[in-house]
Amino acid sequence: QVRLVESGGGLVQAGGSLRLSCAASKRTYQYTMGWFRRVPGKGREFVASLTWDGTTTSYADFVKGRFTVSRDNAKNTVYLQMNSLKPEDTAIYHCAARRGATLVSDVLTNWGQGTQVTVSP
């Protein structure tokens, strides 16, 4: 129901920063939105999420203190600010949205096509 388009990926040196954006095709009222990442040939893993009203955030342990998820509901957009990037952060980052209070991967989850993030050592 919700189409998602990511942007902002690229190549950066270790210790650098990137800001990813995810534009939704419609208002994401009552949707939890966030990010997963995938290394090609491996499974995807949860990165961060934010509820529709901004009251609850969730982060994977490997990004705590470095990444910040936010959203601008007036623009139907969610962001991922990534600081202190490490080579192990290299992955395809996918935006995701699911109506409800949690962001889990199931048949109700909407997915973007992904944007590549590459961190050189």
Side-chain angles (χ1 to χ4, degrees):
Q1 184 69 265
V2 179
R3 299 177 182 86
L4 306 170
V5 180
E6 304 96 331
S7 62
L11 175 64
V12 65
Q13 292 268 22
S17 298
L18 286 172
R19 192 189 199 200
L20 307 183
S21 298
C22 172
S25 62
K26 69 173 187 178
R27 187 185 182 195
T28 50
Y29 182 66
Q30 299 283 43
Y31 283 72
T32 296
M33 298 185 66
W35 301 85
F36 290 76
R37 70 187 189 186
R38 182 180 65 84
V39 176
K42 299 181 179 180
R44 64 178 175 265
E45 58 187 0
F46 173 77
V47 176
S49 67
L50 179 67
T51 54
W52 70 273
D53 59 2
T55 60
T56 304
T57 57
S58 183
Y59 294 96
D61 287 342
F62 53 79
V63 303
K64 287 181 179 177
R66 300 188 298 122
F67 292 8
T68 302
V69 64
S70 62
R71 64 196 293 172
D72 185 341
N73 289 333
K75 298 180 179 179
N76 300 330
T77 301
V78 64
Y79 305 95
L80 185 67
Q81 178 66 46
M82 305 185 294
N83 299 324
S84 302
L85 283 162
K86 305 174 181 179
E88 52 263 44
D89 294 320
T90 296
I92 300 172
Y93 284 72
H94 294 268
C95 181
R98 186 182 187 278
R99 189 169 185 175
T102 60
L103 183 61
V104 298
S105 179
D106 63 16
V107 296
L108 299 179
T109 307
N110 298 275
W111 298 93
Q113 66 181 3
T115 185
Q116 177 70 44
V117 172
T118 302
V119 184
S120 64

